[in-house]
Amino acid sequence: MARTAENGTAERILDVAEALVQSRGFNGFSYADVAQELSISKAALHYHFAGKAELGEALVDRYAARFSAALTVVDRDEHDAPAKLHAYARLYADVFKDDRMCLCGMLAADYATLPDPMRDRVVRFFDDNERWLARVLDAGRSKGTLKFHGSARSVARTLVGGLEGAMLVARPYGDVRRFRTAASLLIDGLAVD
Amino acid sequence: MARTAENGTAERILDVAEALVQSRGFNGFSYADVAQELSISKAALHYHFAGKAELGEALVDRYAARFSAALTVVDRDEHDAPAKLHAYARLYADVFKDDRMCLCGMLAADYATLPDPMRDRVVRFFDDNERWLARVLDAGRSKGTLKFHGSARSVARTLVGGLEGAMLVARPYGDVRRFRTAASLLIDGLAVD
DNA sequence: GTCTATAGGCAGATAGAC
DNA sequence: GTCTATCTGCCTATAGAC
């Protein structure tokens, strides 16, 4: 595989940084936090990621790639639109652990303070999600398994916002059920009677 | 009125700090930012608010009081449930200006890093909102002007989350219409056909 | 690749004069 | 009430040894 040894460390840095950003926000964690958690020096972090901005970019890239891969799996495993939507909501619910919320939802809150390259990536994440959802919604309406008013794109945006917001508000209560109930209501509202 | 002169400064501090927190988050602004904007010294800020934590508490208190007062006005001016819900959504839309989102939505993102007194106030804000909405929803269902599945409390939570999330996601796009479209879809889904 | 040491800046906060 | 001056600590980042 000719894989260099540094790969392990970079991944572990991303793992720790990701958890920190998801729970504390981009301005709520430091290189020192990551270094301490991994028992390495701050300087070592700078070897793998030039600065916080570059670490942030890598964070969103990896998160978006994983999410995209998960959507591909959903497309492969679920064949009707309602099932795809429930699987989609489950992806969000899986994120909701250890005080975490969606990485990009958190970064949307931090948006005003983010460097441009990170901003672009966050917007692209939402765009990709909306596109995927709009496709599922359109297919469901055509097949008669879903019904809704307005454009598929509008409903897709409402769903993304609704799920992100459900995580945001559920987190202070530390209660996953709060998220799941909201997610179910959002999606069941699209079911045919 | 026997109102002391310091009142003006404290209010202006709160105004500036509020705007900063709503756009940058609680960890994204500093006493120096507020001081510079008002052309006063950081030490002057500490005279009015002992520390950042106390400033944060005052911020949420004032915001919650204003929101509560606005809900009272809605109750007085609007008499059917659908109109109240639309007025409620308008309160949110009014907040969405100059890169701002709901103060408590932003603080929900920062929740893991907040001091306890601020946490309690944020949760209370959401509780109050849910209680008000649940009351409106129940009344609307009884009167036959609204229809929905599940408990009024669950739908209330879904609405709060949906609206907060709609702001969160619309902000990176700097597009109020994105928020309004989502808000309309959420509320129109409760209308009787 | 990882370390120690350190630079340079900004954070929140305090002391004491006016 | 507001100021200047200052403290302490943490932040991101770099230099240079191993």
Side-chain angles (χ1 to χ4, degrees), chain B residues 80-143:
Chain B
D80 62 311
K84 288 189 188 205
L85 293 183
H86 277 103
Y88 182 81
R90 246 201 120 243
L91 292 182
Y92 275 70
D94 289 342
V95 165
F96 194 95
K97 283 185 174 105
D98 312 311
D99 236 51
R100 298 197 203 191
M101 64 172 282
C102 171
L103 180 74
C104 289
M106 181 61 87
L107 293 178
D110 295 327
Y111 196 77
T113 67
L114 296 183
D116 278 332
M118 286 189 69
R119 289 187 178 191
D120 296 342
R121 285 165 168 83
V122 169
V123 169
R124 200 180 313 139
F125 174 83
F126 289 128
D127 285 343
D128 290 347
N129 272 266
E130 286 174 10
R131 198 176 310 117
W132 185 89
L133 278 173
R135 202 167 43 70
V136 170
L137 289 166
D138 259 332
R141 178 152 64 176
S142 296
K143 265 210 173 183

Side-chain angles (χ1 to χ4, degrees), chain B residues 34-96:
Chain B
V34 180
Q36 183 169 43
E37 176 73 24
L38 292 175
S39 300
I40 60 176
S41 68
K42 289 186 289 171
L45 294 186
H46 282 283
Y47 171 80
H48 295 280
F49 301 97
K52 212 183 174 186
E54 288 79 12
L55 173 56
E57 292 171 37
L59 237 28
V60 186
D61 281 342
R62 191 181 71 158
Y63 188 83
R66 282 182 177 164
F67 214 90
S68 174
L71 293 184
T72 302
V73 171
V74 170
D75 272 327
R76 189 196 62 197
D77 293 352
E78 311 290 347
H79 293 92
D80 62 311
K84 288 189 188 205
L85 293 183
H86 277 103
Y88 182 81
R90 246 201 120 243
L91 292 182
Y92 275 70
D94 289 342
V95 165
F96 194 95

Side-chain angles (χ1 to χ4, degrees), chain A residues 60-81:
Chain A
V60 186
D61 281 342
R62 192 181 70 159
Y63 189 83
R66 282 182 177 163
F67 214 90
S68 174
L71 293 183
T72 302
V73 171
V74 170
D75 272 328
R76 189 197 60 197
D77 293 352
E78 311 291 345
H79 292 92
D80 61 311

Side-chain angles (χ1 to χ4, degrees), chain A residues 6 9 41 43-44 47-48:
Chain A
E6 49 105 2
T9 304
S41 68
Y47 171 82
H48 294 281

Side-chain angles (χ1 to χ4, degrees), chain A residues 6-7 9-19 21-22 26 29 31 45-67 103-104 107 114-122 124-125:
Chain A
E6 49 105 2
N7 232 316
T9 304
E11 283 303 301
R12 286 165 64 221
I13 292 169
L14 289 172
D15 290 341
V16 171
E18 186 178 67
V21 174
Q22 286 182 271
F26 195 68
F29 87 104
Y31 263 43
L45 294 186
H46 283 283
Y47 171 82
H48 294 281
F49 302 96
K52 213 183 173 186
E54 289 77 13
L55 173 56
E57 292 170 37
L59 236 27
V60 186
D61 281 342
R62 192 181 70 159
Y63 189 83
R66 282 182 177 163
F67 214 90
L103 180 74
C104 289
L107 294 177
L114 296 183
D116 278 332
M118 285 189 70
R119 289 187 178 191
D120 296 342
R121 285 166 168 81
V122 169
R124 199 179 314 140
F125 174 84

Side-chain angles (χ1 to χ4, degrees), chain A residues 111-189:
Chain A
Y111 196 77
T113 67
L114 296 183
D116 278 332
M118 285 189 70
R119 289 187 178 191
D120 296 342
R121 285 166 168 81
V122 169
V123 169
R124 199 179 314 140
F125 174 84
F126 289 129
D127 285 343
D128 289 347
N129 273 266
E130 287 175 10
R131 197 176 310 118
W132 186 88
L133 277 173
R135 201 166 45 68
V136 171
L137 290 165
D138 259 333
R141 179 151 66 176
S142 297
K143 266 209 171 182
T145 53
L146 295 179
K147 69 165 208 304
F148 51 87
H149 298 297
S151 69
R153 176 52 60 109
S154 298
V155 176
R157 287 178 180 170
T158 306
L159 275 180
V160 171
L163 292 171
E164 292 287 353
M167 304 190 82
L168 182 73
V169 178
R171 226 163 48 104
Y173 295 88
D175 186 359
V176 206
R177 287 171 307 172
R178 252 182 121 89
F179 170 79
R180 276 201 280 258
T181 304
S184 294
L185 281 173
L186 285 169
I187 292 175
D188 292 345

